[in-house]
Amino acid sequence: MFVRSSLLRVSGVKSLNLHFNSSTSCISTSTSGLFQNRSFASFDVNVARFDRFGSPQRVLKLEKDKISSDNLLGSQVFLKVLATPVHPADISHIEGTDNGLASALPGVPGVEGVAEVLKTGPDSILQPKDRVLVTNPRVGTWRSHLITEEKNLKRLPTKVENAVAAVFSVVPMTALSLIEEIVKLNPGDVIIQGCGESAVARAVSQIAFARQIKVISVSSYGEQKKVDELKSYGATVALSAEQLHSASTFSQLTKGLPKPKLGLNPVGGLVAIDLARSLGPGGILVTFGNMSKNPLQLPPSALIFNNISLRGFSLLHWWESHSEQERNALFEKVTKLWNDGTIKILPQVVRFPSTTEELLGTLEKQNDSHRDRKLVFSLE
């Protein structure tokens, strides 16, 4: 099995028996106090950092730091990062357009990743050589080594590939939350979603297919080949943005399906107009991203005469506003979906860059290409 039972420490509770290993805290780089395990000299650390908000091409740099693990406090953990993905939220963090992450400067991108434990503080239940997920988006994983608190981490079994483990949290947790928490969806109900090629959209299609929920996926690209590929992820109907915009074409392609109860909009901008128009009476349109970087636009008629509702969703806000027990329950659900093969995410693995120029070039190529796979930096 992918997961194994362990005791999870929860504030106010002596032990909680769950089907995964977990322990985790807030970001800290303090290096004073007691420690356990053998002593380490200072490590040279490669870290992607920005000291002001703006386009990655203008503000992001790859820098050298030194980090010492000789004096770890409490449950602090010294980690070697093994793999870390590139998410739209990382780019928004750099640009300062993600209000959830845009906080203190300087900043380090990287909302999740997988790492190896090198050393722990005296109160940690983790062990050297454990592999862990970094589950707190505020830690910043675009670097070779880091120190953080145990509560920001969840232990992984050995059989999961690092590049796959690196995208274990954000994508499937977002997809599952969108399906389960906005409106009750039954078999036969319909979801319509934009940017069908995105990792979240693929996960939504996969989970919905397993639950006999119908999905209309809208491609961001014009080529019919790209549109047709969306069905391989579990979409019931796949169409282009142009086909969605044409009322007659949309009606023909979705003939026999009920009107969507839920619309998912990761793009913002103009596509929201057509997603809103496609919803059935009382439907809900959820915006959980703004990749277009344009203001959200909506048709008044859909609000006035179709009584649709608008919602927003942020996994970071969900994570920080829910209890440890609720977060663990979501993690366990996602773990089961990985185990039974419901969710499959194919990473595109590249070596973590060694220079600023290489880093920016990799991000630029990713931005210009058709993102059929989730880009993951490998640091093994």
Side-chain angles (χ1 to χ4, degrees), residues 3-32:
V3 289
R4 54 181 184 265
S5 216
S6 72
L7 292 181
L8 173 66
R9 295 182 180 177
V10 181
S11 177
V13 181
K14 289 185 178 180
S15 65
L16 178 64
N17 194 14
L18 295 178
H19 297 291
F20 57 88
N21 289 312
S22 169
S23 53
T24 39
S25 146
C26 298
I27 310 165
S28 173
T29 56
S30 173
T31 55
S32 62

Side-chain angles (χ1 to χ4, degrees), residues 77 153 178 196 305 358:
V77 182
L153 311 171
L178 290 169
F305 302 112
E358 187 182 353

Side-chain angles (χ1 to χ4, degrees), residues 30 60 63 97 133 160 171 180 222 236-237 244 274 297 313 360:
S30 173
L60 189 62
E63 299 178 341
T97 56
L133 290 172
V160 186
V171 168
E180 290 191 344
T236 311
V237 175
L244 172 65
D274 293 323
Q297 299 190 42
F313 179 82
L360 298 180

